[in-house]
Amino acid sequence: MADKETTVYIIDVGSSMGEKHNGRDESDLDWVMQYVWDKITSTVATGRKTATVGVIGLRTEDTSNELEEEQNYKNITVLQPISQILMNELRDLRSTIRLSTIDVGDAISALIIAIQMITKYCKKLKYRRKIVLVTNGRGSIEASDMEEITKKLKEDDIHLVVLGVDFDDPEYGVKEEDKDPLKAQNETLLQSFAEGADGIFGTLEQAISELGLPRIKAVKPTASYKGLLTLGAEGQDTTMSIDVERFPRTMVAKAPSASAFVVRSDLASGESSAHSSATVVGDGEVRGGVSGANGLTSVKSARTYQVIDEEAPGGKRDVERDELAKGYEYGRTAVHISESEENVTKLETEPQLSIIGFIPWAKYERYMNMSTSNLIVAQRVNDKAIMAISSLVHALFELESYAVARLVTKENRGPLIVLLAPSIEPEYECLIEVQLPFAEDVRQYKFPPLDRVVTVAGKVLKEHRNLPSDQLTKTMSDYVDEMDLSTVIREEEGRPEEYMMMEDTFSPVLHRIDQVVRWRAVHPTEPIPPPYEILTKYSRPPVELEEKARPALKDLMAAADVKKVPPKQKGRKRNRDQVKPLSGLNVDELLGREKRTRISPENSVPEFKQMLATTEDLGAIQDLSKQMSEVITSQIKHSLGDSNYGRAVEGLRVMREELTALEEPGVYNEFMRDLKTKIFAGELNGERKDMWYEIRRNRLGLIDQKLSPLSDVSEEMAKLFLTQR
């Protein structure tokens, strides 16, 4: 279980926070709130009830706190009591944190109120307590009780962070020129106070610059196997058995997925709900039934099962899931296995990790790794197991060998073959485990050699148009050397350093989605900010390296005879290239084929393609498309159940492809709109909505601008056309 934590933010909203300094385009308050919102939204994103937040406004116009009767605690407002913050509280805070018209209010008094809030909420329970004060230091500060406050902070183990707007920080390189004397005095006072309380004192410039650095989520590992590691025959006195535990070492970090929500139908027009989208629980249900301030509710999926039944309407009949039986595909048929017999197909296994052999390091290929890695460690507080696993690890290391083992993590789970590699670190010793392939997992592929061409007659050619010349090979080698990343960064002594450190390389997708979601939670209407620099840093080569390698790249392009491809000409091109025989003879004329003018319903698809290939006239193309439309409409209209739906779908697919290639999307789109109207109006001899389902399933909707630039249908309009009824 995650540790309990509570954080109280004290935000200075005095009138002086509305000023702009040091060339910034935003006020000091807006600049400060970048840091505050980032921290609060990160807490909201965890969804933990044990991660609580409180917010206090300093130098506010009103006063609202438990000590408001005393003069020293005026103009201090508790904007958010300590609690778990969800979306509705987050957006309420956005409206309540606003610039004040006064500059009166004591920061130390606000600290006392924050301490009181934490003490009252946490009591004597185990919490990680924290107070964050952000201010520009231009208000009055009462320093008489600082020693007692410092003592209280240490007694209650409250971590204090003081961040100031344009506060001096020689280590970070920030120094404000012509500083106001009152601000300089307060800055010195707050620094000594924070350091005396074993807290942190810093400048906001550094804090905000570090916001772009992604925060890695600390995950407590869960053992996936607890049992014995054995070597030898089971039940023998000579069998080695060690109590071990298995933990994940590397795991793929997956980006959060979006959930589907719809507007509630029982809300009146313009009515909204105050429930939060962060309250989704269980199987997708939402506490209170509503999500978000726009009256959204979660979508629930329903699945129906149908079987072919000629006597049922539409040729299909709905059945319950319990009526279905499982079957295994065998050739072109299905072999039914009843539920009572299904255990026959399962291999009965018991949890175990047993070594079946050893292999030298030199004979193992790294490409055999099939999974993420895990750690095999000795059972905790078991000195005998710790000594035994250490002996095994050192033996494997000294013999330069790996162990091959059979692993079953749970009862009746499929067995795995794994490799156990020794790992000796200063803090611990363990076995690193990766999955190995079975024979069925290995695929053998043969590729032609890269350094020679073998003809059909068996002759070996060293020079060929598909082989690089010596000059091309040399220039490519030179270019690769110039683009060597290990030469980008060097130590003071001149030795190269690693360019892309693992701990500095973050997943752009994962953290970009997190950045956008947190931004949109606080700023519902403002434009999305660009990605953080750290996320795009390694998406391109270093600029200095590109400049250094430019001459080598020019030589490579010359040796490879690289030429620029001319841009695609926009316009209608109906004179498509025809495949002509080497003799130059017209095969159609030789065979005496008569020119067709009508498309027959029995052979519509081939005839439609052949006739389009022999014409460039727009009128003829439109006439052929009209004939094909009539054929497809007739097939749907006279279909017995869905017997003709497959032919109609194939006709639509060919018609869509051909008219897209001929750059006539409007002809197809006009037909599709008319066909949809007829289907839902019941004009095609009854209920034909199953045909529309086939059209949607095969994605045969309108031709949009992405598919054909000449179309007047956008991607959104095309999607809406398929989904709306």
Side-chain angles (χ1 to χ4, degrees):
M1 183 177 177
D3 294 335
K4 297 179 181 179
E5 60 181 72
T6 184
T7 304
V8 176
Y9 294 91
I10 303 174
I11 305 170
D12 190 345
V13 296
S15 60
S16 59
M17 290 288 286
E19 301 174 4
K20 301 177 182 179
H21 296 93
N22 293 332
R24 292 188 290 270
D25 296 330
E26 54 190 345
S27 67
D28 290 348
L29 181 60
D30 292 337
W31 193 53
V32 161
M33 292 310 298
Q34 290 185 32
Y35 172 82
V36 176
W37 288 134
D38 182 87
K39 296 300 181 182
I40 293 178
T41 52
S42 296
T43 304
V44 174
T46 63
R48 289 167 41 207
K49 293 183 178 180
T50 55
T52 54
V53 171
V55 180
I56 296 175
L58 172 62
R59 296 198 287 175
T60 57
E61 296 173 0
D62 300 324
T63 302
S64 178
N65 61 76
E66 292 186 354
L67 303 176
E68 59 184 19
E69 299 299 329
E70 300 183 28
Q71 183 62 34
N72 290 342
Y73 300 96
K74 297 294 183 182
N75 304 110
I76 299 173
T77 302
V78 178
L79 303 177
Q80 170 65 44
I82 296 178
S83 66
Q84 180 191 11
I85 286 191
L86 301 176
M87 275 292 296
N88 57 328
E89 290 89 359
L90 190 64
R91 291 185 174 174
D92 287 344
L93 270 176
R94 187 171 182 269
S95 60
T96 55
I97 297 178
R98 56 183 183 273
L99 192 67
S100 173
T101 58
I102 62 174
D103 265 332
V104 180
D106 180 26
I108 301 300
S109 298
L111 273 171
I112 295 174
I113 295 173
I115 294 171
Q116 185 182 25
M117 288 172 61
I118 291 176
T119 303
K120 184 177 180 180
Y121 182 83
C122 300
K123 300 182 175 64
K124 297 296 182 179
L125 301 176
K126 186 178 180 181
Y127 270 84
R128 287 192 295 173
R129 302 166 170 87
K130 186 177 181 180
I131 297 176
V132 179
L133 169 64
V134 286
T135 178
N136 61 0
R138 297 194 173 191
S140 59
I141 295 179
E142 178 60 48
S144 58
D145 298 328
M146 278 193 173
E147 291 186 5
E148 296 181 8
I149 298 172
T150 301
K151 183 180 178 182
K152 179 65 175 176
L153 289 171
K154 291 182 177 180
E155 286 179 356
D156 292 352
D157 194 20
I158 299 175
H159 183 60
L160 176 64
V161 177
V162 178
L163 298 174
V165 177
D166 299 324
F167 279 12
D168 294 344
D169 189 341
E171 295 182 2
Y172 190 69
V174 175
K175 182 173 177 60
E176 185 181 20
E177 301 296 335
D178 301 324
K179 190 186 294 288
D180 180 80
L182 176 61
K183 180 178 180 179
Q185 178 183 345
N186 290 339
E187 191 174 322
T188 303
L189 189 66
L190 289 173
Q191 181 176 5
S192 61
F193 175 61
E195 292 174 353
D198 298 331
I200 296 176
F201 176 87
T203 180
L204 263 168
E205 186 170 345
Q206 180 180 2
I208 292 176
S209 66
E210 293 176 354
L211 293 181
L213 190 65
R215 289 172 285 276
I216 305 300
K217 182 180 179 181
V219 179
K220 289 188 176 181
T222 303
S224 55
Y225 172 80
K226 291 183 178 181
L228 294 176
L229 168 62
T230 61
L231 174 60
E234 186 177 356
Q236 299 293 327
D237 295 338
T238 57
T239 301
M240 180 191 75
S241 298
I242 307 174
D243 291 304
V244 296
E245 296 179 353
R246 178 178 183 253
F247 295 94
R249 185 171 186 256
T250 58
M251 294 289 286
V252 177
K254 297 181 180 179
S257 59
S259 301
F261 294 92
V262 295
V263 179
R264 283 187 59 184
S265 59
D266 58 343
L267 289 178
S269 178
E271 185 179 354
S272 63
S273 169
H275 290 273
S276 168
S277 61
T279 58
V280 180
V281 295
D283 59 351
E285 294 185 0
V286 184
R287 295 190 186 123
V290 181
S291 169
N294 296 323
L296 300 180
T297 184
S298 58
V299 177
K300 292 186 178 181
S301 301
R303 180 175 296 180
T304 59
Y305 298 88
Q306 293 181 327
V307 295
I308 297 175
D309 186 351
E310 296 180 357
E311 298 179 358
K316 293 183 179 180
R317 175 170 56 88
D318 290 347
V319 295
E320 296 295 331
R321 191 179 188 280
D322 297 338
E323 300 179 38
L324 302 178
K326 289 186 177 180
Y328 289 87
E329 187 176 350
Y330 186 68
R332 297 179 63 86
T333 61
V335 177
H336 166 60
I337 295 181
S338 64
E339 189 174 346
S340 60
E341 296 175 329
E342 194 173 354
N343 290 332
V344 178
T345 64
K346 295 181 180 179
L347 181 66
E348 295 184 1
T349 57
E350 295 291 336
Q352 69 169 159
L353 176 59
S354 56
I355 297 175
I356 58 178
F358 301 91
I359 182 174
W361 292 355
K363 292 187 177 181
Y364 179 75
E365 301 293 344
R366 293 290 292 272
Y367 62 77
M368 302 291 282
N369 295 0
M370 282 189 59
S371 67
T372 56
S373 57
N374 297 279
L375 295 180
I376 306 295
V377 297
Q379 187 183 59
R380 283 176 288 186
V381 300
N382 187 334
D383 295 337
K384 183 179 178 181
I386 293 172
M387 184 65 69
I389 201 73
S390 176
S391 301
L392 178 59
V393 168
H394 280 270
L396 290 172
F397 185 81
E398 292 171 7
L399 295 175
E400 297 185 351
S401 297
Y402 298 134
V404 179
R406 180 179 187 268
L407 171 65
V408 179
T409 56
K410 291 185 179 180
E411 186 178 0
N412 293 331
R413 183 164 290 186
L416 303 174
I417 299 297
V418 297
L419 186 82
L420 304 179
S423 176
I424 302 175
E425 300 292 338
E427 296 83 9
Y428 61 90
E429 297 171 346
C430 66
L431 293 170
I432 299 177
E433 170 247 296
V434 292
Q435 183 181 344
L436 295 178
F438 289 103
E440 295 81 5
D441 301 320
V442 179
R443 300 287 186 270
Q444 298 289 345
Y445 298 96
K446 289 186 178 180
F447 299 94
L450 299 177
D451 59 344
R452 63 189 182 279
V453 172
V454 181
T455 64
V456 177
K459 185 178 179 181
V460 178
L461 303 178
K462 292 291 185 180
E463 294 184 2
H464 190 269
R465 61 185 178 86
N466 291 337
L467 295 177
S469 63
D470 294 339
Q471 179 63 20
L472 180 57
T473 303
K474 181 180 182 304
T475 52
M476 175 56 78
S477 177
D478 294 341
Y479 179 64
V480 171
D481 291 340
E482 292 295 329
M483 290 292 291
D484 186 1
L485 289 173
S486 64
T487 62
V488 177
I489 304 176
R490 293 187 177 274
E491 297 178 351
E492 295 180 358
E493 295 80 7
R495 290 176 299 182
E497 286 187 355
E498 186 176 352
Y499 174 65
M500 294 176 61
M501 299 289 289
M502 182 65 68
E503 54 268 22
D504 295 333
T505 310
F506 304 96
S507 168
V509 174
L510 181 70
H511 296 291
R512 175 58 174 167
I513 292 177
D514 177 67
Q515 176 196 4
V516 169
V517 170
R518 288 190 288 110
W519 174 271
R520 180 56 74 228
V522 181
H523 309 89
T525 59
E526 296 182 19
I528 301 296
Y532 292 130
E533 174 65 24
I534 189 65
L535 300 181
T536 59
K537 178 179 179 181
Y538 299 116
S539 62
R540 57 188 181 275
V543 177
E544 57 271 23
L545 199 63
E546 287 185 303
E547 293 295 328
K548 177 185 173 185
R550 197 175 299 280
L553 179 60
K554 290 182 179 179
D555 294 341
L556 175 61
M557 294 173 65
D561 194 22
V562 176
K563 297 179 181 178
K564 185 177 181 180
V565 178
K568 182 180 178 181
Q569 298 294 328
K570 291 186 177 180
R572 301 178 184 271
K573 296 182 180 179
R574 300 191 187 89
N575 53 336
R576 296 181 293 182
D577 295 336
Q578 304 294 326
V579 179
K580 297 181 179 180
L582 296 176
S583 63
L585 300 176
N586 191 322
V587 179
D588 288 337
E589 291 181 0
L590 290 174
L591 297 177
R593 293 179 182 172
E594 60 174 318
K595 276 200 168 183
R596 293 180 178 272
T597 58
R598 298 293 302 175
I599 297 175
S600 63
E602 295 77 13
N603 197 30
S604 57
V605 170
E607 290 181 6
F608 178 66
K609 296 177 73 173
Q610 290 170 5
M611 292 182 186
L612 284 180
T614 59
T615 184
E616 299 175 10
D617 181 63
L618 176 59
I621 292 173
Q622 292 176 341
D623 180 60
L624 291 172
S625 300
K626 183 179 179 181
Q627 293 183 45
M628 192 65 182
S629 303
E630 292 173 353
V631 171
I632 294 172
T633 304
S634 177
Q635 288 172 342
I636 299 172
K637 186 174 182 179
H638 298 97
S639 174
L640 181 60
D642 60 354
S643 58
N644 283 346
Y645 288 177
R647 296 176 61 192
V649 166
E650 179 62 15
L652 283 171
R653 183 187 64 78
V654 172
M655 187 177 176
R656 191 172 191 262
E657 291 176 355
E658 292 295 317
L659 291 178
T660 301
L662 289 169
E663 299 181 344
E664 290 294 342
V667 177
Y668 177 82
N669 291 343
E670 183 180 355
F671 165 61
M672 282 303 302
R673 293 188 181 100
D674 181 61
L675 179 63
K676 180 180 179 180
T677 302
K678 290 180 178 179
I679 289 176
F680 286 99
E683 299 176 6
L684 299 180
N685 198 15
E687 179 70 33
R688 298 295 181 183
K689 291 183 180 179
D690 286 348
M691 179 61 200
W692 186 251
Y693 169 75
E694 293 295 328
I695 292 173
R696 290 183 59 191
R697 188 169 67 88
N698 290 276
R699 298 180 181 178
L700 297 175
L702 302 179
I703 301 173
D704 57 30
Q705 293 170 346
K706 183 179 181 181
L707 196 61
S708 173
L710 298 176
S711 174
D712 58 354
V713 178
S714 65
E715 290 185 58
E716 292 75 15
M717 292 170 62
K719 291 178 182 178
L720 199 61
F721 177 79
L722 280 178
T723 55
Q724 278 189 342
R725 296 190 176 184

